[in-house]
Amino acid sequence: MKRVSLTQYLVEEQRLYNNIPAELRLLIEVVARSCKTISHAVGKGALGEVLGSAGSENVQGEVQKKLDIISNEMLLEANEWGGHLAAMASEEMEGIHPIPNRYPKGEYLLLFDPLDGSSNIDVNVSIGTIFSVLKAPDGMAEPTEKDFLQCGAKQVAAGYAVYGPQTVLVLTTGNGVNCFTLDREMGSWVLTQRDMKIPAETKEFAINASNARHWYPPVKRYVDEMLAGETGVRQKNFNMRWIASMVADVHRILNRGGIFMYPADAREPDKPGKLRLMYEANPMAFIVEQAGGAATNGKQRILDVQPQKLHERVAVFLGSRSEVERVTSYHAE
Ligand code: P6P
């Protein structure tokens, strides 16, 4: 396949769809460059003295790894000066991060989970970066948290990087989903999968089964039917995978189908689930829908959920459309 760089792809997509203005292209290229830098830091592992805990907690009350903080800083520093952003928000920071006054401001809002899957960092299992791009509201003065509280359907771009055996960047701007692989020798992103599509049917599911005793009935019924395999109502056998890095599980599903679930459960009845809506569920839901899949919170399309708080959590069922529709229908009964 002729080598197509990320820049060439974005320029050609702009010609085709006219929905990637130069400022958005610059934003995507800066985030992609940050992912290269993060990949390099992650790849050093113990040799780079970047492993282990940072001895602090983030706004979620989770112990921060050194690489969580390093990745967050890399994204902030790379995106501050370009003039394409009005503000940023991150899983690792309580409040929003306005662009410093010494730099020009742009019309986009960038949200990210700088290093998703932190529990896997120290044991050399794939981790990644997830990002979401919104337009700043027209006439916005000083950006506030409220300006970020837009439903996922308003995203203008979303993507994730997986730092694994290969470093890949998966991206959508609303015209389908494309995957770029990092050419580590040249330091450039090369288009390696065009217009990715999730198979509608699947025989593979992803859920943390250690929580089974806490699941609510619709999830329990759905998983039990798959565990019954060809002897049960589904009349086919299923396989299970759980990497505990959403980016890695979603990337597998984009490539070979499947359903990823992080449901609410009885452990914390007032919590709708573990994953965060704004910078995990929304970007992944945008990508999955653009690849022909579906993404709900068990009751409604994730992209239609109206956020109330920047770090709010949401239940997630995403992947092969027929399976997401099935488990969602069980919630409606
Ligand atoms: P558990 C990583 O911490 C994460 O946010 C997702 O990437 C992943 O899918 C999930 O949490 C794993 O959660 O409860 O299985 O450790």
Side-chain angles (χ1 to χ4, degrees):
M1 182 155 92
K2 176 183 170 301
R3 279 173 74 101
V4 175
S5 69
L6 175 63
T7 300
Q8 180 181 348
Y9 173 78
L10 292 171
V11 166
E12 288 172 352
E13 195 170 302
Q14 164 58 7
R15 282 192 199 123
L16 272 176
Y17 300 104
N18 194 30
N19 71 341
I20 312 183
E23 294 289 274
L24 178 58
R25 177 157 61 83
L26 172 64
L27 165 51
I28 292 169
E29 288 175 330
V30 169
V31 171
R33 200 173 308 125
S34 308
C35 292
K36 274 196 289 190
T37 315
I38 294 170
S39 173
H40 182 68
V42 165
K44 286 184 180 172
L47 300 177
E49 292 170 14
V50 294
L51 299 182
S53 166
S56 53
E57 279 193 357
N58 64 15
V59 63
Q60 328 286 343
E62 294 166 339
V63 171
Q64 288 178 303
K65 301 283 190 178
K66 288 179 194 158
L67 271 170
D68 282 325
I69 295 175
I70 293 167
S71 309
N72 194 56
E73 288 304 318
M74 286 175 172
L75 280 157
L76 293 176
E77 283 160 23
N79 282 287
E80 277 185 335
W81 50 267
H84 47 279
L85 285 179
M88 292 181 255
S90 164
E91 179 194 58
E92 298 303 328
M93 302 184 302
E94 177 143 18
I96 66 167
H97 182 86
I99 297 302
N101 288 330
R102 63 182 180 280
Y103 297 126
K105 292 180 176 50
E107 58 179 13
Y108 294 104
L109 302 174
L110 176 66
L111 303 95
F112 46 82
D113 177 357
L115 205 58
D116 173 67
S118 302
S119 63
N120 285 322
I121 294 175
D122 297 347
V123 292
N124 197 21
V125 171
S126 297
I127 48 183
T129 297
I130 309 172
F131 68 92
S132 169
V133 183
L134 294 166
K135 289 281 299 291
D138 292 337
M140 179 185 74
E142 264 311 295
T144 65
E145 179 170 318
K146 210 159 103 359
D147 297 311
F148 282 79
L149 301 184
Q150 304 175 37
C151 63
K154 299 268 186 150
Q155 293 173 100
V156 293
Y160 65 81
V162 181
Y163 311 121
Q166 305 100 42
T167 289
V168 296
L169 176 74
V170 172
L171 178 68
T172 187
T173 54
N175 314 308
V177 178
N178 293 281
C179 179
F180 300 82
T181 301
L182 180 62
D183 176 339
R184 292 191 174 105
E185 284 148 25
M186 301 294 287
S188 55
W189 293 104
V190 180
L191 178 63
T192 45
Q193 284 175 273
R194 271 187 192 276
D195 199 20
M196 299 177 84
K197 291 296 176 200
I198 300 178
E201 305 294 329
T202 184
K203 291 184 179 174
E204 200 157 64
F205 67 97
I207 193 167
N208 182 336
S210 70
N211 301 322
R213 65 187 182 283
H214 306 298
W215 294 339
Y216 293 123
V219 173
K220 182 131 182 49
R221 172 187 170 194
Y222 177 67
V223 176
D224 283 349
E225 287 178 353
M226 291 188 287
L227 293 176
E230 56 196 13
T231 66
V233 294
R234 300 300 306 271
Q235 296 184 311
K236 68 177 182 179
N237 295 326
F238 286 79
N239 190 30
M240 195 197 98
R241 286 285 181 275
W242 186 251
I243 304 174
S245 279
M246 188 183 195
V247 288
D249 280 315
V250 170
H251 195 64
R252 184 191 59 254
I253 288 167
L254 268 180
N255 277 285
R256 69 183 192 211
I259 179 168
F260 171 96
M261 295 172 275
Y262 211 112
D265 65 41
R267 282 178 293 174
E268 294 182 274
D270 60 333
K271 229 162 90 175
K274 172 182 181 183
L275 301 181
R276 292 80 172 179
L277 174 62
M278 297 303 294
Y279 39 78
E280 287 177 332
N282 271 342
M284 291 307 202
F286 187 16
I287 290 164
V288 162
E289 285 198 3
Q290 282 290 312
T296 75
N297 63 359
K299 306 256 190 306
Q300 69 179 116
R301 192 173 167 244
I302 282 179
L303 295 184
D304 291 337
V305 174
Q306 175 54 50
Q308 303 304 321
K309 292 193 303 268
L310 185 62
H311 297 292
E312 76 181 59
R313 299 170 190 268
V314 68
V316 177
F317 301 86
L318 62 76
S320 293
R321 178 167 292 280
S322 66
E323 292 302 326
V324 174
E325 287 170 353
R326 175 186 286 266
V327 69
T328 303
S329 72
Y330 289 2
H331 284 76
E333 289 178 9

